[in-house]
């Protein structure tokens, strides 16, 4: 990925007025922005898991391994539900009580960096056991998401990846090739549709989370590899407009009408129990498909290849571990981060989660090839064959623009109430304004 210095240099300094006021109000107390200390390297540290529940078992195992190797350090594990993690961090930043180490995803990294909650870890990485052992694309995604130049505020641990799941039994019956290009995708969507018999070629995401899936489809087809052209977004480039017209045009023609309201849960359930040819989701739904269909009736591939002959996709959030500035035992906390991101631990965690390891040695482990979708996704992210369009997670307004502000607009697009150009022009105007405001704060 080519990430310009300009984009990297957009510093996250004022996420919102509310956050700024909260930080100011807490400035004279234990607000989490203090410098902390290196500590003795012994004693207890606190770790917040940003997906507590689903990942509790594997983290418990890794913590036991760590404490066995470091008997003078104890790790207090705190599971935080994924839906609550950002608000939990914001509350702790404002009022105190941050952990020593915490799981941090790129989707909310800039928010935390802007509030000075995290410590840059560049110098700690130099000469550490992790130096040169982290997947470059994930490091760059974490760096870009923070928006603080070359500073790194999280050690990447894993990435998910978009997958085009398809029903191999239906494709074989129809005499279709795997949908590994966009041309084959559209051919299959048409050929597998028989609406009178409730059979559809594709299920499109129209409810929560629809924007990210749509962006993947339009950049994948247009072949545009940068989100910004100078200080303006490429989102409403004519090539992207044409791609979105074609993609949104599938709704109700080769997709179920209910798709306009479907989030990923409903979409996955519908695909697993029905006769729909293709589904765009990620590696996380693999086990659901196995339970519903068995291993012989479906397969998964990365995003289809466009007319340019290159696979282009938008960035998926990268998960990682952050060292908190307020920690009074940073030496011990860093030891835990090093251990958790090491070959053995990172491999163990990602195998359990069905995700792609950030540790380069773990990414080569045999289990990666046990399931073809994971193997293909890992290869696409690590061998340089895929061009990744980095989404501007560093913009304070990114989440609002890409979710609350425009998911209802995407539904209007599907229903034919607005055009693809109107949809993309509106979203582009909002992004350009947010980017301009960001630059005017001294971050450009």
């Amino acid at each position: 990925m080519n990430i310009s210095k300009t984009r990297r240099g957009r510093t996250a300094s004022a996420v919102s007025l509310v956050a700024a006021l909260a930080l100011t109000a807490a400035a004279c107390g234990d607000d989490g922005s203090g410098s902390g200390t290196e500590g003795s390297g012994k004693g207890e540290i606190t770790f917040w898991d940003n997906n507590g529940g689903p990942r509790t078992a594997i983290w418990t195992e890794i913590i036991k391994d760590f404490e066995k190797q470091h008997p003078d350090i104890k790790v207090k594990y705190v599971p935080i539900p994924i839906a609550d993690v950002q608000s939990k961090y914001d509350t702790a930043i404002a009022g105190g009580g941050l952990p020593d180490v915490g799981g941090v995803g790129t989707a909310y990294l800039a928010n935390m960096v802007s509030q000075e909650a995290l410590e840059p870890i560049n110098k700690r990485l130099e000469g550490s056991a992790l130096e040169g052992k982290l997947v470059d694309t994930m490091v760059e995604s974490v760096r870009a998401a923070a928006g603080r130049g070359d500073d790194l505020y999280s050690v990447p641990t894993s990435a998910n990846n978009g997958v085009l799941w398809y029903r191999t039994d239906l494709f074989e019956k129809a005499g279709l090739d795997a949908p590994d290009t966009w041309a084959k995708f559209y051919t299959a969507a048409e050929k597998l549709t028989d609406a009178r018999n409730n059979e559809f070629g594709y299920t499109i995401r129209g409810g929560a989370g629809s924007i990210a899936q749509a962006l993947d489809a339009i950049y994948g087809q247009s072949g545009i590899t940068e989100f910004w052209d100078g200080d303006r977004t490429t989102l409403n480039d004519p090539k992207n407009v044409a791609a979105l017209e074609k993609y949104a045009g599938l709704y109700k023609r080769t997709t179920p009408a209910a798709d306009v309201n479907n989030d990923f849960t409903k979409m996955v359930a519908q695909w697993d129990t029905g006769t729909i040819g293709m589904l765009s989701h990620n590696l996380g739904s693999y086990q659901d498909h196995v339970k519903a269909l068995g291993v012989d009736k479906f397969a998964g591939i990365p995003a289809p290849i466009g007319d340019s002959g290159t696979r282009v996709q938008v960035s998926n959030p990268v998960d990682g571990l952050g060292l908190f500035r307020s920690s009074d035992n940073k030496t011990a906390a860093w030891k835990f981060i090093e251990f958790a991101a090491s070959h053995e631990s990172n491999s163990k965690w990602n195998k359990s989660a069905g995700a792609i390891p950030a540790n380069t040695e773990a990414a080569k482990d045999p289990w990666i090839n046990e399931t073809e979708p994971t193997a293909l996704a890992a290869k696409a992210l690590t061998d340089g064959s895929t061009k990744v369009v980095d989404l501007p997670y560093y913009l304070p307004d990114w989440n609002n623009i890409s979710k609350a502000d425009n998911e209802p607009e995407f539904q209007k697009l599907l229903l034919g109430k607005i055009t693809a150009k109107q949809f993309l022009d509106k979203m582009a105007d909002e992004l350009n304004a947010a980017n301009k405001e960001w630059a005017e704060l001294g971050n450009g």
Side-chain angles (χ1 to χ4, degrees):
M1 291 180 290
N2 296 318
I3 301 173
S4 70
K5 277 284 191 178
T6 300
R7 287 174 57 198
R8 286 183 183 175
R10 295 185 180 106
T11 317
S13 60
V15 172
S16 66
L17 179 61
V18 173
L21 290 173
L23 189 58
T24 301
C28 57
D30 180 18
D31 64 359
S33 65
S35 59
T37 65
E38 289 299 313
S40 65
K42 301 178 181 180
E44 184 178 83
I45 59 171
T46 298
F47 165 56
W48 283 9
D49 175 8
N50 60 341
N51 193 7
R55 304 290 175 248
T56 295
I58 187 60
W59 272 121
T60 300
E61 184 178 342
I62 290 171
I63 289 169
K64 285 182 180 178
D65 292 341
F66 173 77
E67 291 179 341
K68 184 176 181 181
Q69 186 170 319
H70 298 274
D72 52 356
I73 302 174
K74 297 299 178 185
V75 180
K76 180 182 178 182
Y77 171 78
V78 180
I80 310 294
I82 192 169
D84 302 333
V85 66
Q86 187 169 350
S87 62
K88 182 76 172 177
Y89 277 135
D90 284 341
T91 299
I93 290 169
L98 283 167
D100 300 280
V101 179
V104 180
T106 50
Y108 49 89
L109 178 63
N111 178 14
M112 298 174 68
V113 171
S114 73
Q115 298 180 77
E116 307 297 338
L118 294 169
E119 175 135 323
I121 47 85
N122 303 58
K123 291 183 180 179
R124 295 178 192 271
L125 270 178
E126 294 174 5
S128 78
L130 296 177
E131 186 176 21
K133 297 293 178 65
L134 299 172
V135 174
D136 288 341
T137 53
M138 297 192 201
V139 172
E140 290 300 329
S141 289
V142 168
R143 196 190 312 276
R148 287 279 180 96
D150 288 328
D151 283 343
L152 202 64
Y153 286 85
S154 171
V155 174
T157 55
S158 67
N160 210 322
N161 203 53
V163 177
L164 179 60
W165 302 104
Y166 68 101
R167 288 283 299 270
T168 51
D169 56 339
L170 300 181
F171 271 69
E172 183 178 349
K173 183 179 178 181
L176 290 165
D177 294 333
D180 54 5
T181 68
W182 282 102
K184 291 178 181 178
F185 165 83
Y186 282 109
T187 296
E190 297 284 352
K191 193 166 183 178
L192 293 173
T193 296
D194 182 356
R196 288 174 297 180
N197 291 313
N198 202 36
E199 297 174 1
F200 297 94
Y202 185 59
T203 174
I204 196 168
R205 189 168 182 169
S210 59
I211 303 298
Q213 182 173 307
L215 294 183
D216 227 6
I218 65 175
Y219 278 96
Q221 293 174 80
S222 71
I224 296 170
T225 58
E226 295 289 341
F227 194 80
W228 297 103
D229 181 7
D231 60 358
R232 300 187 68 79
T233 181
T234 60
L235 185 61
N236 58 339
D237 183 283
K239 291 181 181 178
N240 280 340
V241 173
L244 182 57
E245 286 174 347
K246 192 170 185 180
Y247 179 72
L250 294 174
Y251 174 65
K252 275 183 75 173
R253 193 164 54 78
T254 65
T255 80
D259 281 359
V260 71
N261 294 312
N262 280 356
D263 59 11
F264 87 91
T265 304
K266 294 175 183 175
M267 188 175 62
V268 168
Q270 177 178 263
W271 192 72
D272 284 344
T273 58
T275 53
I276 300 173
M278 296 176 290
L279 159 75
S280 297
H281 192 233
N282 58 47
L283 292 169
S285 58
Y286 175 73
Q287 291 299 334
D288 293 326
H289 306 327
V290 171
K291 291 175 184 177
L293 302 169
V295 295
D296 298 326
K297 290 185 178 180
F298 76 98
I301 57 175
I305 295 171
D307 293 341
S308 66
T310 300
R311 176 179 289 111
V312 178
Q313 66 177 59
V314 299
S315 55
N316 282 269
V318 174
D319 209 15
L321 294 172
L323 175 64
F324 283 83
R325 193 184 296 270
S326 59
S327 171
D328 284 326
N329 201 346
K330 294 176 186 175
T331 301
W334 179 250
K335 287 179 182 178
F336 177 69
I337 290 174
E338 276 190 304
F339 184 88
S342 68
H343 178 182
E344 183 178 352
S345 297
N346 193 239
S347 183
K348 186 181 293 186
W349 191 95
N350 280 281
K351 183 178 182 180
S352 171
I356 302 168
N359 186 290
T360 54
E361 294 173 331
K364 298 175 184 176
D365 281 352
W367 68 264
I368 294 287
N369 295 313
E370 289 177 3
T371 60
E372 185 180 34
T374 304
L376 291 174
K379 184 175 186 293
L381 282 185
T382 59
D383 70 356
S385 64
T386 299
K387 300 295 183 182
V388 177
V389 179
D390 277 308
L391 300 178
Y393 296 123
Y394 57 83
L395 287 177
D397 291 332
W398 169 250
N399 279 339
N400 284 335
I401 292 171
S402 64
K403 294 181 184 296
D405 291 351
N406 284 293
E407 285 178 350
E409 296 299 307
F410 187 72
Q411 291 179 318
K412 291 180 184 178
L413 170 62
L414 294 182
L415 295 170
K417 296 180 179 180
I418 59 173
T419 66
K421 186 176 188 306
Q422 288 172 327
F423 172 80
L424 291 178
D425 281 347
K426 174 184 179 294
M427 191 169 172
D429 286 346
E430 292 169 355
L431 286 164
N432 290 334
N435 190 49
K436 181 180 179 182
E437 181 181 359
W438 198 228
E440 287 173 349
L441 289 170
N443 306 300

